[in-house]
Amino acid sequence: MTDLSRRLFDELESLVLIDPHTHINPHSPASKTLADIMGYHYYTELAHSAGMPKAYIEDKNISPKERVGRLVEKLGDLSNTIQVSWLMEIVREFFGFQDDAITAKNWEKLYDNALAKMQQADWEQQVLKHSKLEGIFLTNDFDDPLEGFDTKKYIPCLRTDDLVFHFEKPATRERLAKATGIEATSAELLRSAIGKLFVHFKKKGARACAISIPPTFTPTKVGSGDAQKVVELAAGGKPLSADQSAQLSQFVFWTLAEFCTEHALPFDLMIGVNRRVYEDGVYQGQDLFDKRVSLLQYKDLFNAFPKVTFPISVLGTTSNNELVSYAWIFPNVVTNGHWWYSNIPSYIEIDTRSRLEAVPRTKQVGYYSDMYKLEFALPKFRMYRRILAKVLAEDFVIGRGWSETKAVEFGKQVLRGNVETIFKV
Amino acid sequence: MTDLSRRLFDELESLVLIDPHTHINPHSPASKTLADIMGYHYYTELAHSAGMPKAYIEDKNISPKERVGRLVEKLGDLSNTIQVSWLMEIVREFFGFQDDAITAKNWEKLYDNALAKMQQADWEQQVLKHSKLEGIFLTNDFDDPLEGFDTKKYIPCLRTDDLVFHFEKPATRERLAKATGIEATSAELLRSAIGKLFVHFKKKGARACAISIPPTFTPTKVGSGDAQKVVELAAGGKPLSADQSAQLSQFVFWTLAEFCTEHALPFDLMIGVNRRVYEDGVYQGQDLFDKRVSLLQYKDLFNAFPKVTFPISVLGTTSNNELVSYAWIFPNVVTNGHWWYSNIPSYIEIDTRSRLEAVPRTKQVGYYSDMYKLEFALPKFRMYRRILAKVLAEDFVIGRGWSETKAVEFGKQVLRGNVETIFKV
Amino acid sequence: MTDLSRRLFDELESLVLIDPHTHINPHSPASKTLADIMGYHYYTELAHSAGMPKAYIEDKNISPKERVGRLVEKLGDLSNTIQVSWLMEIVREFFGFQDDAITAKNWEKLYDNALAKMQQADWEQQVLKHSKLEGIFLTNDFDDPLEGFDTKKYIPCLRTDDLVFHFEKPATRERLAKATGIEATSAELLRSAIGKLFVHFKKKGARACAISIPPTFTPTKVGSGDAQKVVELAAGGKPLSADQSAQLSQFVFWTLAEFCTEHALPFDLMIGVNRRVYEDGVYQGQDLFDKRVSLLQYKDLFNAFPKVTFPISVLGTTSNNELVSYAWIFPNVVTNGHWWYSNIPSYIEIDTRSRLEAVPRTKQVGYYSDMYKLEFALPKFRMYRRILAKVLAEDFVIGRGWSETKAVEFGKQVLRGNVETIFKV
């Protein structure tokens, strides 16, 4: 890092954050053992990719400690990955680890030290404070009661994949009926049920509706007759053709967007993931993408819902040029973080540079952690802050003669300010 | 900038340019008020994207000064964009503006200062001289009489979108009949009418034929029977099927390429734009792209017309790897500038680096401004020259041990020399 | 280069290599005249692209020396290309050339000097030693007897394009019958014939099966009835429909993968090339790509053959984000070099950065030369080593605080270690 980048980084590091997308369980937000950290799918899938059998990793008969011991066997082959650099940053920052690598020789001591720390009563608070985090968006199932936690700190978000893509499954319909008291046997009843979910989530302080979407999906408005037909078929447990399934998904999706208008909720779209591409992959390590996807598929949606803000994440850097362009033209399209297969420094840097110079500064959510356990916010946001500091230094302070103060203000807006204004936190 | 880059930049800055693609109106090339500058679609669309209502921006009942005042309200939210950096460079270079930003407090004085300058009788000449511009390619409607201006300085270019994609519209056919004296009621008559346009444009010194093309279009030769049928239908005001419309476009397009051979005119292809994607967008702020386009769609064309040079612009950086490869293989494919959604520094840099190292140096047109008013050539070309200087410094002087003289020669060839040889200016 | 990059580069340069993909003829591996070097398709296609007529380049009535003289006429227009920088590095390293460029005035002397060198009895050994090469993978036709050369140094590789995509051609079937003694008139007989080829290649020390694949191809398992039908049609010289042709290719391809399992051979996939796009191009200068290809097309294959390692090359940098992701998830997918239209420094750098930080370090084959003559390994690998040193310096030593020793170890693993482990050399 140059001195300039370092100064900007230090300023950005001082900022207290709201993390606008995570998978945190608010009833158990911090890790209990190192297995919670090393069990993150990034490590299990990379260990498996490097040759460790799935059964060895996912063996249900082993203790958390044994699981960590097994994963450590593969860390050497993964030492180059940015994901393992997150792990190293976690163990250094939180557990005082000082060796160069986690190995067969030192992992047990690390495990025990970590355990002792995590068993402290205020571990969650320690992590939040050390990570400078004061708000954390959740990813809640549509039937989540949203009770038993501080919804100011752990902010609900209505996740809708199941409704849009799995309404045909009896389990989904049962959960919906149970959550809303409505048997969604017609298009109108389904709409009513969904409306109830929105009321519930809004009452509990939800700040977004969210969904992840396969590259093949194109949202559009379905005629009421067609909608009625496919809902009835699905509700009756009848098989749907591929076209009918797509219509059903489109109808539910469109209905969600309508309620987002009504309830003034941003609709986070995470575009491009194909589920279960690698069928024998580890848990959460089976999904990949097809870069033959275009935001043009969202033309109808963006035009039809001018009052809904769509914070958009794309799975590949290959989609970033489109995302920048669509956010530059559509008032309701906002760039949102760096997702999954584009969440590595080389791609974050390219994508950040283009966004910072071509999308209105009010329309960029710089980063979210996507984490399952609190300890990951620190290394992931720090990775982003390093890149952000570098881009601000090179492209704005040096490239355009901006003052450092002005550059830091821009960085803070992208890191935090826009989260507040866009999600009305 | 490093000292080395600065030295190369200074050399490139000293070069007098011919701008090979603009939308300049030769009867009114320079701005008359600051509203001509700030009314450029980049500012209106970005202001709208950042939340300013279209009606507020496009209100027909307001003065140019009021329009500027309104747009200034949104400049703060756009201060990060490269487009606003062009604006700042214009007001500093041409109007002596010295503040850090254009704000509610200082814009009126700026407006008045600019107005006084623009009202000087030789403003056009001042801008040309200060911008080191001596030739400017136009974008002329096919029925432009091309009279009343110096065609040596403002060089005609036959723009053909209307003919290829809108021959079905009665207005297009009427304009064609009026311009040529030929009612294009058959394929042969349509060909004759197009031939007349070429004769007219060539006589007036046209140096290129040009068109922008949607990602779905694939040029190919249409059989004479099919051509005859679709021209007759269209000329008769009959509705065409989607396939017939495509054939009509293909027939007109192919005919244009034939006349380009006959008249030795390069055919500028600007590939990839979908029109009216954002239906409620501001004027010229509605178009976007679908990255699922390939230059393979142009295989038939490139093979069939070896004598026509095709300077090609692509809308997204996502198409640049293909463009580099096609220009490296096809003798008649030339890389042309950095268009629209790829015309931002981060993408220009990536695209420039790959072109400079993989396409024959004689086959690269480095940049064009695409401007509507003369004042934009300076900041846009300067942006490009900064990047070009950086790439020449890093990749050629440092990376390959080239002398600075040799690097500057290459830069000048890309900036100007190739414009002369390719377009025979 | 910074001092740090230089130190890393020097360490990487000291490494003796095994080149995991070339087109070397083991019976004539080194060049005999400068025409062998300048006749490489990169120079003929670029000279043609820059305007030299194909007939002038490929004239069969001229001597090697005259051919070089002709190509030299165009070198000035190609002096910017990385390919010509390879040529300059060759003539400087091997023939003591000291001028700044090869020109009409100095080429004859260079030709003669080179000839004298190449006529030395141990020229091949000189090149190997100076290039630090000890193993070279070949690209062998399926009916290659693999005799008359040292298969430890020149390592056989079964190239299968003809079998998969040209079994319909009588010549292919005749070659197969001659090589195996089996008339492949049924699916089972075709399978037997292919099996014989594998036995032969394995016996001769083959270390990989390989194929280049058009972007339209999707491997999948074909039912035995369909397979039988299309093989019979093809073997009988009957015309196949497009669908049947595709099935035939799929059947042969799947059979190859089955034998790769049986014989524990990696299956190199070179994905994305369309053949004969530029129909009048020079020899080997006619192929281009369509970026609308996805690794998702290989889903069935990767899932069905967990025991086969697939080292994958992609033709465009546009496919690299997918390749990184698929190699990160699928245990049997390995990244392999930088192929053809992505084999230029700007794209190698982007692609290398992402691979080094997101793919397990054991699953990356850094580079292969793809050369036809031995002299090219030196400049091509040197180009790669420069970039690798830069990325290791910036992203690992500076960016992550790695020691130089650790960075060099990683670099050496990617350059050589993984070639040994993945191909079991």
Side-chain angles (χ1 to χ4, degrees):
Chain A
M1 260 193 189
T2 62
D3 289 346
L4 170 61
S5 297
R6 165 65 59 185
R7 284 196 302 275
L8 298 179
F9 173 74
D10 288 344
E11 288 290 328
L12 298 175
E13 273 283 277
S14 73
L15 190 68
V16 175
L17 296 178
I18 297 164
D19 187 340
H21 175 65
T22 79
H23 294 269
I24 290 292
N25 172 358
H27 306 291
S28 177
S31 297
K32 292 194 189 318
T33 74
L34 203 54
D36 285 344
I37 288 171
M38 288 190 59
Y40 192 21
H41 69 83
Y42 284 98
Y43 305 117
T44 55
E45 73 201 16
L46 282 166
H48 179 54
S49 171
M52 186 169 276
K54 174 180 164 160
Y56 188 71
I57 298 167
E58 298 191 339
D59 187 340
K60 294 202 171 146
N61 300 313
I62 57 171
S63 68
K65 189 165 182 175
E66 174 63 11
R67 192 178 319 282
V68 168
R70 290 186 180 185
L71 286 166
V72 166
E73 296 168 25
K74 266 294 174 200
L75 281 184
D77 288 349
L78 311 177
S79 62
N80 59 302
T81 64
I82 195 67
Q83 293 86 356
V84 167
S85 83
W86 303 338
L87 175 65
M88 297 311 296
E89 200 139 17
I90 287 173
V91 297
R92 283 177 189 137
E93 288 277 339
F94 291 111
F95 312 124
F97 187 76
Q98 295 191 330
D99 293 355
D100 188 49
I102 304 173
T103 67
K105 291 193 178 157
N106 61 24
W107 76 267
E108 285 201 82
K109 185 159 174 247
L110 169 62
Y111 187 92
D112 296 338
N113 287 347
L115 188 66
K117 281 273 206 170
M118 290 165 169
Q119 286 177 339
Q120 290 173 7
D122 65 342
W123 179 242
E124 174 189 348
Q125 279 63 45
Q126 287 186 47
V127 177
L128 289 171
K129 191 177 172 198
H130 190 63
S131 309
K132 296 205 175 72
L133 267 181
E134 64 178 11
I136 290 134
F137 279 55
L138 307 177
T139 292
N140 303 96
D141 284 338
F142 67 81
D143 54 344
D144 190 320
L146 305 174
E147 280 172 6
F149 61 89
D150 175 0
T151 58
K152 288 275 185 296
K153 191 193 286 182
Y154 294 107
I155 301 161
C157 170
L158 171 58
R159 183 71 174 234
T160 57
D161 301 45
D162 287 344
L163 292 169
V164 172
F165 297 111
H166 302 297
F167 183 75
E168 289 178 68
K169 294 184 182 168
T172 307
R173 299 197 301 276
E174 282 160 26
R175 288 167 53 207
L176 182 61
K178 194 169 167 196
T180 63
I182 296 173
E183 295 281 344
T185 52
S186 71
E188 203 42 45
L189 285 166
L190 177 49
R191 176 185 303 278
S192 299
I194 292 172
K196 273 209 160 183
L197 300 177
F198 272 80
V199 170
H200 168 63
F201 269 76
K202 275 294 282 193
K203 207 172 104 190
K204 294 292 188 178
R207 289 290 176 270
C209 181
I211 188 168
S212 74
I213 309 173
T216 48
F217 187 67
T218 298
T220 194
K221 189 174 171 61
V222 177
S224 58
D226 287 336
Q228 183 61 23
K229 183 172 180 183
V230 294
V231 173
E232 280 177 5
L233 282 172
K238 301 279 167 45
L240 277 70
S241 70
D243 281 354
Q244 287 173 328
S245 272
Q247 281 190 324
L248 178 61
S249 294
Q250 287 167 331
F251 170 68
V252 179
F253 188 93
W254 208 258
T255 304
L256 292 170
E258 288 167 348
F259 281 111
C260 283
T261 302
E262 187 177 324
H263 292 278
L265 275 187
F267 197 173
D268 290 352
L269 308 183
M270 313 186 79
I271 294 175
V273 64
N274 279 298
R275 301 294 179 182
R276 292 185 52 72
V277 172
Y278 174 35
E279 292 157 17
D280 293 325
V282 299
Y283 178 63
Q284 294 182 324
Q286 306 174 356
D287 309 334
L288 279 160
F289 70 109
D290 179 342
K291 66 185 169 59
R292 295 168 301 178
V293 60
S294 174
L295 292 182
L296 191 70
Q297 298 167 228
Y298 292 80
K299 175 186 168 179
D300 287 0
L301 181 76
F302 298 153
N303 277 294
F305 295 96
K307 289 185 182 165
V308 177
T309 300
F310 296 99
I312 292 185
S313 299
V314 290
L315 195 48
T317 188
T318 37
S319 287
N320 185 68
N321 190 185
E322 277 193 356
L323 178 55
V324 166
S325 309
Y326 280 70
W328 149 358
I329 292 298
F330 277 102
N332 51 347
V333 172
V334 163
T335 63
N336 193 17
H338 301 272
W339 189 33
W340 209 335
Y341 295 114
S342 58
N343 185 26
I344 60 175
S346 53
Y347 292 146
I348 294 173
E349 183 175 331
I350 293 169
D351 295 351
T352 296
R353 291 189 68 194
S354 53
R355 293 180 191 182
L356 291 194
E357 73 193 6
V359 175
R361 56 189 291 165
T362 48
K363 298 181 66 190
Q364 307 187 37
V365 175
Y367 198 72
Y368 52 76
S369 74
D370 214 1
M371 66 186 167
Y372 286 75
K373 288 294 174 187
L374 287 185
E375 291 82 358
F376 281 94
L378 188 144
K380 287 182 144 190
F381 271 101
R382 191 173 283 172
M383 169 183 72
Y384 177 70
R385 292 195 244 220
R386 280 192 196 103
I387 297 163
L388 182 59
K390 179 173 189 264
V391 174
L392 288 170
E394 290 176 359
D395 293 0
F396 289 85
V397 178
I398 298 172
R400 293 207 218 156
W402 279 29
S403 70
E404 293 184 34
T405 307
K406 203 171 149 187
V408 168
E409 275 168 16
F410 182 25
K412 289 187 170 177
Q413 179 174 18
V414 160
L415 261 170
R416 160 134 193 178
N418 290 338
V419 174
E420 296 181 42
T421 52
I422 289 167
F423 296 102
K424 305 189 191 74
V425 183
Chain B
M1 261 194 189
T2 62
D3 289 347
L4 169 61
S5 298
R6 164 65 60 185
R7 283 195 303 274
L8 299 180
F9 173 74
D10 288 344
E11 288 290 328
L12 298 176
E13 273 282 277
S14 72
L15 190 68
V16 175
L17 296 178
I18 297 165
D19 187 339
H21 176 63
T22 80
H23 294 269
I24 290 293
N25 172 358
H27 307 291
S28 178
S31 296
K32 292 194 187 321
T33 74
L34 202 56
D36 284 344
I37 288 170
M38 289 189 58
Y40 192 22
H41 70 82
Y42 284 98
Y43 305 116
T44 56
E45 74 201 15
L46 282 166
H48 179 54
S49 171
M52 187 170 278
K54 174 179 165 160
Y56 188 71
I57 297 167
E58 299 191 337
D59 188 340
K60 296 204 170 145
N61 300 312
I62 57 171
S63 68
K65 188 164 182 176
E66 175 62 11
R67 193 178 318 282
V68 168
R70 290 186 181 185
L71 287 165
V72 165
E73 294 169 25
K74 266 296 173 200
L75 282 184
D77 288 350
L78 311 177
S79 62
N80 59 301
T81 63
I82 195 68
Q83 294 86 356
V84 166
S85 83
W86 302 337
L87 176 65
M88 298 310 297
E89 199 137 18
I90 287 172
V91 297
R92 284 177 188 137
E93 288 277 340
F94 291 110
F95 312 125
F97 188 76
Q98 296 191 329
D99 292 357
D100 188 49
I102 304 172
T103 67
K105 289 192 180 158
N106 62 23
W107 76 267
E108 285 201 81
K109 186 160 173 243
L110 169 63
Y111 186 93
D112 296 337
N113 286 347
L115 189 65
K117 282 271 207 170
M118 290 165 168
Q119 286 176 339
Q120 291 172 6
D122 66 341
W123 179 242
E124 174 189 347
Q125 279 64 43
Q126 287 185 46
V127 176
L128 289 172
K129 190 177 173 197
H130 190 64
S131 308
K132 296 206 174 71
L133 266 181
E134 62 177 13
I136 290 135
F137 279 55
L138 307 177
T139 292
N140 302 96
D141 285 338
F142 67 81
D143 54 345
D144 190 321
L146 305 174
E147 280 172 4
F149 61 89
D150 175 358
T151 59
K152 287 275 186 297
K153 192 193 287 180
Y154 293 106
I155 300 161
C157 171
L158 172 57
R159 183 72 174 233
T160 58
D161 301 46
D162 287 344
L163 291 169
V164 172
F165 297 110
H166 303 298
F167 183 75
E168 289 178 69
K169 293 183 183 169
T172 306
R173 298 198 301 275
E174 283 159 25
R175 287 167 53 207
L176 182 62
K178 195 168 165 195
T180 63
I182 297 172
E183 294 282 344
T185 52
S186 72
E188 203 41 49
L189 285 166
L190 177 49
R191 177 185 303 276
S192 299
I194 291 172
K196 272 209 160 182
L197 299 178
F198 272 80
V199 170
H200 168 63
F201 270 76
K202 275 294 282 194
K203 207 171 105 190
K204 293 293 188 177
R207 288 290 177 271
C209 180
I211 188 168
S212 74
I213 309 173
T216 48
F217 187 67
T218 297
T220 195
K221 187 172 171 62
V222 177
S224 59
D226 287 335
Q228 182 62 21
K229 183 172 179 184
V230 293
V231 173
E232 279 178 7
L233 281 172
K238 300 280 166 45
L240 276 71
S241 70
D243 281 354
Q244 288 172 328
S245 272
Q247 281 190 324
L248 179 59
S249 294
Q250 287 166 331
F251 170 69
V252 178
F253 188 93
W254 208 258
T255 304
L256 292 170
E258 289 168 347
F259 281 112
C260 283
T261 301
E262 186 177 325
H263 292 278
L265 275 186
F267 196 173
D268 289 353
L269 307 183
M270 313 186 78
I271 294 175
V273 64
N274 278 299
R275 302 293 179 182
R276 291 185 53 71
V277 172
Y278 174 34
E279 293 158 16
D280 294 324
V282 299
Y283 178 64
Q284 294 180 324
Q286 307 174 356
D287 309 333
L288 279 161
F289 70 109
D290 179 341
K291 66 185 169 59
R292 295 168 301 178
V293 60
S294 174
L295 293 182
L296 192 70
Q297 298 166 229
Y298 292 80
K299 176 187 168 180
D300 287 0
L301 182 75
F302 299 154
N303 277 295
F305 296 97
K307 290 185 183 165
V308 177
T309 299
F310 296 99
I312 292 185
S313 300
V314 290
L315 195 49
T317 188
T318 38
S319 287
N320 184 67
N321 190 184
E322 278 194 355
L323 178 54
V324 165
S325 309
Y326 280 71
W328 149 356
I329 292 298
F330 277 103
N332 52 347
V333 172
V334 163
T335 63
N336 193 16
H338 301 272
W339 190 34
W340 209 333
Y341 294 114
S342 59
N343 185 26
I344 61 175
S346 53
Y347 292 145
I348 294 173
E349 184 176 330
I350 293 169
D351 296 351
T352 295
R353 290 189 68 196
S354 53
R355 293 179 192 181
L356 291 195
E357 74 194 5
V359 176
R361 56 188 292 165
T362 48
K363 297 181 66 191
Q364 308 187 36
V365 175
Y367 198 72
Y368 51 76
S369 73
D370 214 1
M371 66 185 167
Y372 286 75
K373 289 293 173 186
L374 288 184
E375 291 83 358
F376 281 94
L378 188 146
K380 287 183 144 189
F381 271 101
R382 191 173 282 172
M383 170 184 72
Y384 177 69
R385 291 195 244 220
R386 281 192 195 101
I387 297 163
L388 182 59
K390 179 174 188 265
V391 175
L392 289 170
E394 291 176 359
D395 292 1
F396 289 84
V397 179
I398 299 172
R400 293 207 216 156
W402 280 30
S403 70
E404 293 184 35
T405 307
K406 203 172 149 188
V408 168
E409 274 169 16
F410 182 25
K412 289 187 171 179
Q413 178 174 19
V414 159
L415 262 170
R416 160 133 193 180
N418 290 338
V419 175
E420 296 181 43
T421 52
I422 290 167
F423 296 103
K424 306 188 190 75
V425 182
Chain C
M1 260 194 189
T2 62
D3 289 346
L4 169 60
S5 298
R6 163 66 58 185
R7 284 195 302 275
L8 299 180
F9 173 74
D10 288 343
E11 288 290 327
L12 298 176
E13 274 281 277
S14 73
L15 191 67
V16 175
L17 296 177
I18 297 164
D19 187 339
H21 175 65
T22 79
H23 294 268
I24 289 293
N25 172 358
H27 307 290
S28 178
S31 297
K32 293 194 187 320
T33 73
L34 202 56
D36 284 344
I37 288 171
M38 289 189 59
Y40 193 20
H41 70 82
Y42 284 99
Y43 303 117
T44 56
E45 74 200 15
L46 281 166
H48 179 53
S49 172
M52 186 169 276
K54 174 179 164 161
Y56 188 71
I57 298 167
E58 299 192 337
D59 187 340
K60 296 203 170 145
N61 301 314
I62 57 171
S63 67
K65 188 164 182 176
E66 174 63 11
R67 193 178 318 283
V68 168
R70 290 187 180 185
L71 286 165
V72 165
E73 295 168 24
K74 265 296 173 199
L75 282 184
D77 289 350
L78 311 177
S79 62
N80 59 302
T81 63
I82 195 68
Q83 292 86 356
V84 166
S85 83
W86 302 338
L87 175 65
M88 297 311 296
E89 200 137 17
I90 287 173
V91 297
R92 283 176 189 137
E93 288 277 339
F94 291 110
F95 312 124
F97 187 76
Q98 295 191 331
D99 293 356
D100 189 49
I102 303 172
T103 67
K105 290 191 179 157
N106 62 23
W107 76 267
E108 285 200 81
K109 184 160 174 245
L110 169 62
Y111 186 92
D112 296 337
N113 287 347
L115 189 65
K117 283 271 209 169
M118 291 164 168
Q119 286 176 337
Q120 292 171 7
D122 66 340
W123 178 242
E124 174 188 348
Q125 279 64 43
Q126 286 185 47
V127 176
L128 289 171
K129 189 176 173 199
H130 190 63
S131 308
K132 296 206 174 71
L133 266 180
E134 64 178 11
I136 291 134
F137 278 55
L138 307 176
T139 292
N140 302 96
D141 284 338
F142 67 82
D143 54 345
D144 190 320
L146 305 174
E147 281 172 5
F149 60 90
D150 175 359
T151 59
K152 287 274 183 298
K153 191 192 286 180
Y154 294 107
I155 301 161
C157 171
L158 172 58
R159 183 71 174 234
T160 57
D161 301 46
D162 288 345
L163 291 169
V164 172
F165 297 111
H166 303 297
F167 183 75
E168 289 178 68
K169 294 184 182 170
T172 307
R173 299 197 301 277
E174 284 159 25
R175 287 167 53 206
L176 183 61
K178 194 169 166 194
T180 63
I182 296 173
E183 294 282 344
T185 52
S186 72
E188 204 42 48
L189 285 166
L190 177 50
R191 176 186 303 276
S192 299
I194 292 172
K196 273 210 162 182
L197 299 178
F198 272 79
V199 170
H200 169 63
F201 270 76
K202 274 295 281 195
K203 207 172 103 190
K204 294 290 187 178
R207 287 290 177 270
C209 180
I211 188 168
S212 75
I213 309 173
T216 48
F217 186 67
T218 298
T220 194
K221 188 172 170 61
V222 177
S224 59
D226 287 334
Q228 182 60 23
K229 183 171 180 185
V230 294
V231 173
E232 279 177 7
L233 281 172
K238 301 279 166 45
L240 276 71
S241 71
D243 280 355
Q244 288 173 328
S245 272
Q247 281 189 325
L248 178 59
S249 293
Q250 287 167 332
F251 170 68
V252 178
F253 188 93
W254 209 257
T255 304
L256 293 170
E258 288 167 348
F259 281 112
C260 284
T261 302
E262 187 177 325
H263 292 278
L265 276 187
F267 197 174
D268 289 353
L269 308 183
M270 313 187 78
I271 294 175
V273 63
N274 279 299
R275 301 293 179 182
R276 291 186 51 75
V277 172
Y278 173 34
E279 293 158 17
D280 294 325
V282 298
Y283 178 63
Q284 293 181 325
Q286 307 175 356
D287 309 333
L288 280 161
F289 69 109
D290 179 341
K291 66 185 170 58
R292 295 169 301 178
V293 59
S294 174
L295 292 182
L296 191 70
Q297 298 167 226
Y298 293 80
K299 176 187 168 179
D300 286 1
L301 181 76
F302 299 153
N303 278 295
F305 296 96
K307 290 185 182 164
V308 177
T309 300
F310 296 100
I312 291 185
S313 299
V314 290
L315 194 49
T317 188
T318 39
S319 286
N320 184 67
N321 190 184
E322 277 193 356
L323 178 55
V324 166
S325 309
Y326 280 70
W328 148 358
I329 292 298
F330 277 101
N332 51 346
V333 172
V334 163
T335 62
N336 193 17
H338 300 273
W339 190 34
W340 208 334
Y341 295 114
S342 59
N343 185 26
I344 61 175
S346 53
Y347 291 145
I348 294 173
E349 183 176 330
I350 293 170
D351 296 351
T352 295
R353 291 188 67 194
S354 53
R355 294 179 190 181
L356 291 195
E357 73 194 6
V359 176
R361 57 189 292 166
T362 48
K363 296 180 66 191
Q364 307 187 37
V365 175
Y367 198 73
Y368 52 76
S369 73
D370 214 1
M371 64 185 169
Y372 286 75
K373 288 292 173 187
L374 287 185
E375 291 82 358
F376 281 95
L378 187 145
K380 287 183 144 188
F381 270 101
R382 191 173 283 171
M383 170 183 72
Y384 177 70
R385 291 195 245 221
R386 280 192 196 102
I387 297 163
L388 182 59
K390 179 175 188 264
V391 174
L392 289 170
E394 290 177 358
D395 292 1
F396 289 83
V397 179
I398 298 172
R400 294 207 216 157
W402 279 30
S403 70
E404 294 183 35
T405 307
K406 203 172 149 187
V408 167
E409 274 168 17
F410 182 24
K412 289 186 172 178
Q413 179 174 18
V414 159
L415 261 169
R416 159 133 194 180
N418 290 338
V419 175
E420 296 181 42
T421 52
I422 290 168
F423 296 102
K424 306 188 191 76
V425 183

